[in-house]
Each structure stands twice: as structure tokens, then as C-alpha cells.
Amino acid sequence: MIIDIKIPTPGESITEVEIASWLVEDGAIVEKDQEIAEIESDKATLMLTAEEGGEIAIKAPEGESIKVGSVACTIDTSKADQATESKADASTGDKTDVQDDQSESEKEKNKEKKSDDKTSAPSKDKVKTVDEEHSQVKTTPVADKIMQAHEVSVDDVLKGLARLDKKTTERGIEGLKATDTNEAQPVGERSTERKKMSSLRKKISERLVKVKNETAMLTTFNEVDMSAVMDMRKKYQKKFTEKHGIKLGFMSFFTKAAAVAMKSFPEVNAMIDENELVYFNYADIGIAVQTPKGLMVPVIRDTGDKSLAQLESDIAETATKARNGKITIDELQGGTFSITNGGIFGSMLSTPIINPPQAGILGMHNIQERPVAINGQVVVRPMMYIALSYDHRVIDGKSSVGFLKMIKDLIENPVMLLSGGDANEQLLEL
């Protein structure tokens, strides 16, 4: 029986996707629920799976746009049994291959041993395996044979290398011949490569340009002393990991601090909808994640009501799904605010771009030890610059500065942040 595998609906308002890549070849035997292709919408990368086992016939070429509901491929289920047979054959073949590999390996060892015996003996030929002047240079048996065939010595092909193998020896001989014939040696390859821009990358580009053109975006900065958070992580890390099975990171502290600060500055957690301002009484914060397909911002729901352990778990789970192409459209939609951490790539300072239609995004950066003045004394502390980019149409300058200052205060006093104002560390639900 021939069944059609159609493009599923990735989400509302999406009518067309792109076949990013086929994971199987045309005519291959696939199993039920096997991932057979990656499909890209303008919001995420999704996987196409085989509904039944059998022989696949690809109908939509890789890189082609295709309507939702269209047939991407067909599967001939009458040939599903071949998948089981090929598995059994592969298993048997693997054992044979191992034996063959072992046999070939033993033969190669014997050959090299004989070759070593030959090269270790004194030779009256012009060629010397190891030149007296470069007695520290080691050469492989294959390299020796190549040099003997071309009647050259180690000195002729040595280009500052500590060891010569087949590839480097051949490269050295080619360079020697070019020099002998006064031919110009190539400086290096000069080439270009063109790749079609994916639907996701095009959408990201469009959104970034739209933000710059259609918002009154400004950025304000502050710096945070990370000593208290780092000391707390060091003190509770072992207990936290044993209890929750995940490490306590920095992102959960900033996510929690942003959710708390939004209660005092609600305009930061708002957006424009035509002629109205929409204020949210909950904090769904998107955490920017760099993936092979581009930047994605999975949303962590109800961050203000979650503990550090819940936040760390949710952040790790969604980030892994995004990098592996398993994230869903629902997990990327509906955020009210965003956080991005350029510090993991070494960024000291940046002006993050707003994720529309949100009105603000918090930028974290690299932690560096710097001299700071505290109580009239210069001390060295681990400092981080933080940035808030915001839409001035929604957020006034006073609110933006106040919001960022509150995050600074909460991070520098994490006990107050987590215990609701009580300085007793025993109340922390780490």
C-alpha cells in the first residue's frame, strides 16, 4: 500500500514551509516514526517523521518551498519487511567487518614491521630515512617509500615539521618540484560559496530590520557586582545539584530578578497593540538561545511564580530542544520580555535588539574582575555590565533606569531576592 506523508501544520498563520534537508535518500527503507526530513518555517525547524515503515519516494526536493498539507513523500508499506532484513544483515555484516578490519590491521602491522626492519638497516643509497642533521625527525614507513621512489631525502621535503607522514611528504615533494622548475607556488585558495538563505534566517533578518525601523529603541546600562551570587552558588551548589539534579547557574537569578522588577515597573512588561498599550500581570520571559539554525527565543512561562530549580530546569530543557531542532511553535510564542546572554561568547558590552512586539530585552555580559571603589577603598570584584534595550514609545527613561537599577540591587542581594525580603538563608528554597 502507498501512503502519502504530508506537511503538517506548524502553527497558526503558517501556510508554507521549506524542506531544509532530507535525512534519508530516495528509495531508502525507513521504519515507522523514523525522522526523515527537517522542515523550516519562518519561526522554527521541525522534524517530519514516517507514519509507517517501507520504501520512501521523495516528491519535494530539498530547499524547495511547499504548502502545508502538500505531499512531501510517499511510503510503500509493502516493503516494510526489508527494513528488518536489512537490520539483520547489517548486524551480521558488522561482525564480519570487524574481523576483516582486524585481519587487515594485522597485515598492515606486519608490513610496517618489515619496512621498519629495512629502513633501520644501514643503506648505501642516496636516500636516507633519517638524515644525520635531523636525527630527531621521525618518518613513517609509507613516507620512506615515497621518498625512495622520488629519490629525495628528508632534508628535501622537510618544511619545519617534527614528523612526516604520507600527506605531508607528498605535499613537500610537490613544493620541491615547483621550486626546481621555477614555477610559482600557490599562495592559498581564493574561493566563495553561496547558500540559499533559509526561511528562518530570512524571517529573523526581516524582524531585525523592522525593529530598527519601526521602534524608538534606546539602551541604558549599569554594572553588577556578582560576588554575592557567586558566593551563594559556591555555598549551595553541591546541595542544589544533589536535590534537583541540575546545576545552579546565573540565568535563573536574572530571570527571577526581572520578573520581580516588573511588578514595580509594569510598563517594561507591556507592548503596543495598534492604538492600545497591553499590560501583562504575568511574566513569560524568553531566553535567547543560539542554535545551528540561528537565534531562537524559547519562552519560560510564569517565571515570577517559579523557584530557581524550576527556572534552571525549564531553561535547560527548552535550550536543548531548540539546539536539537525539537522546539515547538507554542514554545516560541507569547513572551512578554526577553533576556540574552552574550557573556557566554565573551561579550563585554552590547546593545541587544528588542524581540517584537515586546517592549524590552535585558542583555547579560561577561564577568570580569575589575577594580571598584567600595567604602572609600579600591577592591577587585567580579563585575558584569548589564544592558536594557527598550521601546521608548512604551517605556520612559526613568522607568528603564529604575528597572535596571532594581535588577542590579536584587542580584547584589540574592537572599532578599529569593526570600521575599527576609534575610534568613534558611528560608531559601534552593
Side-chain angles (χ1 to χ4, degrees):
M1 183 173 105
I2 306 293
I3 63 169
D4 293 335
I5 304 298
K6 298 181 180 180
I7 298 294
T9 303
E12 294 181 7
S13 75
I14 298 177
T15 60
E16 193 173 76
V17 299
E18 181 181 300
I19 303 293
S21 63
W22 284 102
L23 306 180
V24 296
E25 295 182 356
D26 189 30
I29 302 298
V30 299
E31 299 178 354
K32 183 178 180 180
D33 297 327
Q34 179 181 339
E35 294 180 345
I36 56 177
E38 287 184 337
I39 56 175
E40 281 189 350
S41 69
D42 57 7
K43 295 181 179 178
T45 299
L46 307 172
M47 303 306 296
L48 186 66
T49 59
E51 297 176 9
E52 297 290 342
E55 184 181 58
I56 189 170
I58 295 175
K59 302 299 182 184
E62 192 172 288
E64 182 176 287
S65 295
I66 182 172
K67 298 283 187 183
V68 170
S70 299
V71 177
C73 64
T74 60
I75 294 179
D76 185 353
T77 58
S78 65
K79 299 183 180 180
D81 293 339
Q82 293 184 20
T84 305
E85 293 175 3
S86 58
K87 263 190 170 182
D89 293 341
S91 177
T92 305
D94 289 341
K95 294 180 181 178
T96 305
D97 290 342
V98 170
Q99 294 173 353
D100 290 343
D101 289 342
Q102 291 175 343
S103 178
E104 289 296 328
S105 177
E106 291 175 0
K107 291 179 181 178
E108 186 62 28
K109 286 181 179 177
N110 291 333
K111 287 182 180 179
E112 290 189 2
K113 186 176 180 181
K114 292 179 181 178
S115 178
D116 288 339
D117 292 341
K118 290 180 181 179
T119 56
S120 61
S123 174
K124 296 181 180 179
D125 294 339
K126 172 184 173 182
V127 179
K128 291 183 180 180
T129 303
V130 180
D131 193 80
E132 291 179 359
E133 187 179 348
H134 297 95
S135 59
Q136 76 278 15
V137 178
K138 297 179 180 179
T139 61
T140 65
V142 176
D144 290 337
K145 290 180 180 179
I146 295 173
M147 287 189 289
Q148 290 173 2
H150 290 272
E151 295 186 350
V152 294
S153 68
V154 175
D155 276 344
D156 295 327
V157 295
L158 188 62
K159 300 295 182 181
L161 300 174
R163 177 180 174 85
L164 296 178
D165 55 17
K166 179 181 178 182
K167 183 179 292 185
T168 53
T169 301
E170 291 177 340
R171 189 183 300 123
I173 291 172
E174 290 174 0
L176 182 63
K177 288 182 177 180
T179 303
D180 291 342
T181 55
N182 294 322
E183 293 180 0
Q185 296 189 35
V187 176
E189 184 181 0
R190 290 171 55 85
S191 62
T192 59
E193 182 181 2
R194 290 179 180 268
K195 289 185 178 180
K196 183 180 178 182
M197 189 178 288
S198 67
S199 299
L200 180 61
R201 175 59 64 181
K202 284 190 288 187
K203 189 63 176 180
I204 291 173
S205 302
E206 291 170 2
R207 287 166 67 87
L208 292 177
V209 174
K210 185 177 181 180
V211 170
K212 297 290 288 184
N213 292 338
E214 298 184 8
T215 66
M217 194 180 81
L218 293 177
T219 304
T220 185
F221 304 93
N222 213 316
E223 62 178 353
V224 179
D225 184 344
M226 298 295 293
S227 300
V229 167
M230 294 176 74
D231 290 343
M232 179 174 286
R233 289 178 70 240
K234 184 177 180 180
K235 181 177 180 179
Y236 290 103
Q237 189 66 271
K238 183 177 180 181
K239 180 180 177 181
F240 186 91
T241 305
E242 290 175 350
K243 183 177 180 180
H244 302 290
I246 190 171
K247 286 188 176 182
L248 179 60
F250 294 117
M251 184 60 76
S252 57
F253 283 94
F254 281 92
T255 304
K256 187 76 173 180
V260 171
M262 287 174 187
K263 295 178 181 178
S264 298
F265 300 94
E267 55 267 49
V268 176
N269 197 35
M271 62 182 62
I272 293 176
D273 183 14
E274 295 183 352
N275 295 322
E276 296 179 330
L277 282 173
V278 181
Y279 295 87
F280 301 93
N281 61 2
Y282 54 86
D284 287 354
I285 297 181
I287 309 296
V289 179
Q290 187 65 44
T291 75
K293 298 293 184 180
L295 189 69
M296 294 186 182
V297 190
V299 178
I300 310 300
R301 313 289 176 184
D302 300 314
T303 55
D305 300 327
K306 292 182 176 179
S307 65
L308 286 184
Q310 290 173 312
L311 290 173
E312 287 290 353
S313 179
D314 288 352
I315 291 169
E317 181 183 356
T318 54
T320 299
K321 291 171 70 175
R323 293 189 184 102
N324 294 338
K326 306 292 185 181
I327 201 78
T328 65
I329 296 296
D330 290 339
E331 291 172 309
L332 295 170
Q333 292 180 331
T336 62
F337 186 77
S338 293
I339 300 177
T340 182
N341 183 10
I344 59 177
F345 304 111
S347 172
M348 187 179 74
L349 193 62
S350 67
T351 55
I353 296 180
I354 299 169
N355 184 21
Q358 299 167 17
I361 181 171
L362 175 67
M364 299 165 55
H365 299 91
N366 195 18
I367 300 173
Q368 292 185 332
E369 289 191 341
R370 293 197 294 272
V372 294
I374 299 178
N375 297 325
Q377 300 292 322
V378 176
V379 296
V380 175
R381 292 291 179 88
M383 305 297 293
M384 176 195 287
Y385 289 118
I386 56 175
L388 175 71
S389 290
Y390 61 98
D391 190 343
H392 210 340
R393 299 176 302 167
V394 182
I395 305 171
D396 293 331
K398 180 181 178 181
S399 297
S400 67
V401 173
F403 175 81
L404 202 60
K405 177 65 165 56
M406 180 171 282
I407 288 181
K408 168 185 169 67
D409 294 339
L410 291 171
I411 295 297
E412 292 181 348
N413 298 277
V415 174
M416 304 294 287
L417 165 66
L418 302 175
S419 60
D422 194 319
N424 184 359
E425 289 189 10
Q426 299 300 321
L427 297 177
L428 296 179
E429 294 184 2
L430 293 175

